[in-house]
Amino acid sequence: MNLRLLHPALAPAPRVSCGRLAVVGLGYVGRPLALGAAAAGYEVIGYDPAPEARWLANAGCDPGLGSFQASADPAALTGADTWLICVPTPLDARGRPDLTAVRAALGIAARGLKPGALVCLVSTCQPGATNGLCRPILEEAGWHVGRDVFLAVSPERENPGPHAPPTRSIPRLLGAADDASLRRALAFWRHIVDQVEVVASPEIAECAKLLENTYRLVNVALMDELHAAFTALGVPTRDVVAAAATKPFGFAPFWPGLGAGGHCIPVDPAFLQMEAARAGAPSALLAKALSRNRGRVARVLAAIRARFGDDLAGKRVLVAGVTYKPDVADLRAAAPLRLMRGLCALHAKVAWHDPVIMKPPPALAVLQRSAAFTMPDGARPDALVLGTPHRAFDLKAITRAAPLVFDPFGLLPVGPSIVVV
């Protein structure tokens, strides 16, 4: 086991026997952690009010590899030795972090704790959340942190998708409210993952998580701007990036697209910017990156309108791929959804095709679905937009699907119908 300790006063922690683990939230973060812990020997009880989340968790558990049950009853968690808070932390309608689910999860934990239990925040939150949000909720319930119960933070680092690395192989950051909590948390995480990176405070772990995705957002925004520049110069952006990526140091490739979506990249930087502004040090660069990412769909929509003389009324437009990332059936903050709403507002006849989506969620049920690169009635669309480049797509077939094919990714073979945007 590769264990590197960054906390100056911490001695090696003893291993503890596996016990009862409560996982609050069985989404893309909680589910793999719950199943991994069950395989490691824990008796795991997962809580989630969503039937689909419970079904997926139960379906993913191998009964021969551990003890796991999913429940919609928070009382089933009572008495667990360790609690993982793995609930969503989205932005609200005004673009501010919404921690409603975290507060509710901590309330459940505070009512079901037993002396000596560990509560570990895994959900992504703003800097200071462990000591400023979690600790007061536990202490208001009568628990003394560091003596009666223990508190730590280990921010999620999951990468949803069929090609994601195993949860156990992803290094965990770990910070805690006090040394006793840190030892308790370290003893737990050493059973679950191969590498634990201990940091000197919860705030370091919280900020590091936000930095990881802020780095990505800023580079996504940079690539968006340079994609426009390279396209104007007549130079294929992906070839430029691929060439630069041959440098073995000092460069990480980012690729053009329709704008970052999902549960992390458009969200986490807003948590950091909120706290930075509260401290009197907002980032102008981060504000620009957030704005640039939000505006990407509008710029693609403007390019489509321009090709049709600013009149999309009645035009048949097919969007190929509507999820936020390739090969993942997740629509959270998906840029193609915003594009389709924009096209509908301009009175285009919009349809979508996506082999990754099985049962269409409400956000898509109001739009016509096509089983191929045609309109639902089999007619050829007036335009096709590559929304998400799933691996299952035949890119050459896409180039022949419509007289105008809009490519925000720079992926399609050059041809008379291709419009790189």
Side-chain angles (χ1 to χ4, degrees):
M1 178 175 294
N2 180 10
L3 179 63
R4 190 165 67 247
L5 301 182
L6 305 183
H7 190 280
L10 189 66
R15 286 187 177 275
V16 296
S17 60
C18 297
R20 195 163 185 259
L21 172 66
V23 179
V24 186
L26 293 174
Y28 78 98
V29 174
R31 183 168 59 249
L33 287 175
L35 299 181
Y42 282 85
E43 177 191 351
V44 182
I45 305 92
Y47 165 77
D48 201 300
E52 182 180 5
R54 298 195 303 274
W55 182 88
L56 287 171
N58 280 322
C61 182
D62 184 342
L65 293 181
S67 171
F68 172 80
Q69 63 173 315
S71 176
D73 181 7
L77 309 176
T78 300
D81 302 291
T82 302
W83 296 67
L84 301 184
I85 307 301
C86 304
V87 294
T89 52
L91 301 179
D92 63 19
R94 297 175 61 183
R96 300 171 305 182
D98 182 357
L99 302 180
T100 303
V102 174
R103 292 188 178 93
L106 288 165
I108 292 171
R111 293 188 294 273
L113 287 175
K114 69 176 185 179
L118 166 70
V119 177
C120 190
L121 178 64
V122 179
S123 301
T124 301
C125 293
Q126 77 277 16
T130 306
N131 281 317
L133 172 65
C134 302
R135 186 176 193 131
I137 290 175
L138 298 179
E139 292 186 338
E140 286 170 9
W143 299 104
H144 187 286
V145 173
R147 185 189 66 195
D148 304 330
V149 295
F150 304 99
L151 176 63
V153 58
S154 183
E156 61 94 356
R157 278 178 161 174
E158 296 299 323
N159 183 25
H163 309 288
T167 298
R168 187 174 188 94
S169 70
I170 302 172
R172 302 292 310 192
L173 294 178
L174 179 62
D178 53 77
D179 281 351
S181 293
L182 187 56
R183 293 176 187 278
R184 177 70 171 79
L186 182 58
F188 165 75
W189 283 109
R190 287 176 66 185
H191 283 278
I192 307 303
V193 297
D194 295 329
Q195 184 175 338
V196 182
E197 301 286 353
V198 179
V199 296
S201 72
E203 291 77 17
I204 292 174
E206 293 158 350
C207 285
K209 163 62 183 179
L210 299 181
L211 174 60
E212 292 166 13
N213 284 327
T214 298
Y215 165 84
R216 294 172 71 186
L217 179 76
V218 169
N219 279 282
V220 166
L222 172 65
M223 187 49 56
D224 180 35
E225 289 202 351
L226 293 183
H227 179 49
F230 294 143
T231 301
L233 292 168
V235 180
T237 302
R238 297 188 74 88
D239 289 353
V240 174
V241 176
T246 62
K247 183 180 180 182
F249 55 90
F251 183 84
F254 286 79
W255 308 94
L258 191 53
H263 40 80
C264 285
I265 300 178
V267 175
D268 294 355
F271 281 78
L272 181 57
Q273 182 76 322
M274 180 187 72
E275 289 303 306
R278 186 173 295 169
S283 167
L285 177 61
L286 181 49
K288 170 70 173 177
L290 286 163
S291 176
R292 184 80 193 182
N293 189 61
R294 286 192 297 265
R296 172 62 169 149
V297 166
R299 290 188 293 277
V300 171
L301 186 59
I304 297 171
R305 290 180 62 184
R307 284 285 178 151
F308 285 99
D310 282 336
D311 183 11
L312 286 173
K315 301 299 183 185
R316 296 166 300 177
V317 182
L318 179 72
V319 178
V322 297
T323 62
Y324 90 88
K325 68 183 290 188
D327 308 319
V328 174
D330 193 331
L331 297 173
R332 282 177 291 179
L337 290 185
R338 288 183 280 125
L339 178 69
M340 288 192 289
R341 287 194 291 266
L343 290 167
C344 288
L346 294 170
H347 309 294
K349 294 181 179 179
V350 181
W352 60 278
H353 169 57
D354 196 310
V356 173
I357 300 292
M358 298 295 107
K359 180 181 178 182
L364 289 173
V366 297
L367 296 169
Q368 287 189 303
R369 181 175 193 172
S370 178
F373 298 130
T374 63
M375 299 304 287
D377 61 2
R380 195 182 192 209
D382 297 307
L384 182 147
V385 184
L386 181 59
T388 309
H390 295 306
R391 296 188 184 209
F393 283 163
D394 181 342
L395 297 184
K396 289 185 178 180
I398 288 178
T399 65
R400 301 187 296 266
L404 285 174
V405 178
F406 295 90
D407 178 13
F409 300 86
L411 270 172
L412 300 179
V414 176
S417 65
I418 307 303
V419 182
V420 178
V421 291

